[in-house]
């Protein structure tokens, strides 16, 4: 009943809510409580929203395009267009962030 639209992607907060509900249901059926459950799963979760200005996004994109432009693997992702939200789509899988971090070590 918590996950009505099965066409939508499940975010972490919804996953935790469904998990806790199922865990509570299972515990009520068996009369037991989990011995090794994590404390964070019992706490309410809150989704945080961070806003970013267009100039801030543009600065990040310019910096990334400049410092990672010579990387052979990232050629298929770069350059990023600062006028779009392409940066956020590319960063979702973590590869861009990993390469960026690797380039400074």
């Amino acid at each position: 009943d918590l996950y009505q639209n099965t066409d939508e992607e499940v975010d972490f907060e919804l996953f935790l809510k469904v998990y806790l509900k199922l865990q509570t249901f299972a515990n009520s059926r068996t009369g037991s409580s989990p011995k090794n459950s994590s404390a964070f799963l019992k706490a309410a979760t809150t989704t945080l929203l961070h806003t970013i200005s267009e100039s801030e996004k543009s600065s990040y994109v310019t910096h990334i395009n400049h410092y990672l432009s010579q990387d052979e693997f990232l050629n298929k992702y770069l350059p990023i267009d600062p006028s779009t939200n392409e940066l956020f789509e590319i960063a979702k899988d973590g590869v861009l962030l990993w390469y960026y971090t690797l380039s400074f070590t």
Side-chain angles (χ1 to χ4, degrees):
D1 63 322
L2 288 174
Y3 188 51
Q4 298 295 324
N5 189 352
T6 57
D7 293 331
E8 285 185 24
E9 194 171 299
V10 175
D11 64 6
F12 187 64
E13 185 173 356
L14 178 59
F15 168 79
L16 288 178
K17 287 178 182 178
V18 171
Y19 174 82
L20 289 172
K21 186 166 184 146
L22 288 172
Q23 186 179 48
T24 301
F25 176 74
N27 291 339
S28 70
R29 303 274 290 169
T30 62
S32 66
S33 62
K35 295 177 183 175
N36 296 323
S37 64
S38 300
F40 83 93
L41 291 176
K42 294 179 182 172
T45 58
T46 303
T47 302
L48 300 175
L49 177 64
H50 175 75
T51 57
I52 186 168
S53 69
E54 288 299 315
S55 63
E56 189 178 11
K57 180 177 69 171
S58 181
S59 294
Y60 284 131
V61 168
T62 301
H63 181 76
I64 290 168
N65 284 341
H66 174 75
Y67 283 99
L68 297 178
S69 63
Q70 302 304 315
D71 189 282
E72 292 177 22
F73 179 78
L74 294 176
N75 279 340
K76 62 183 174 186
Y77 300 108
L78 300 175
I80 300 168
D81 183 355
S83 66
T84 68
N85 285 330
E86 187 180 9
L87 170 65
F88 306 114
E89 291 302 315
I90 292 171
K92 278 184 181 179
D93 65 3
V95 173
L96 178 66
L97 299 173
W98 182 75
Y99 267 86
Y100 183 77
T101 304
L102 187 65
S103 69
F104 288 102
T105 57

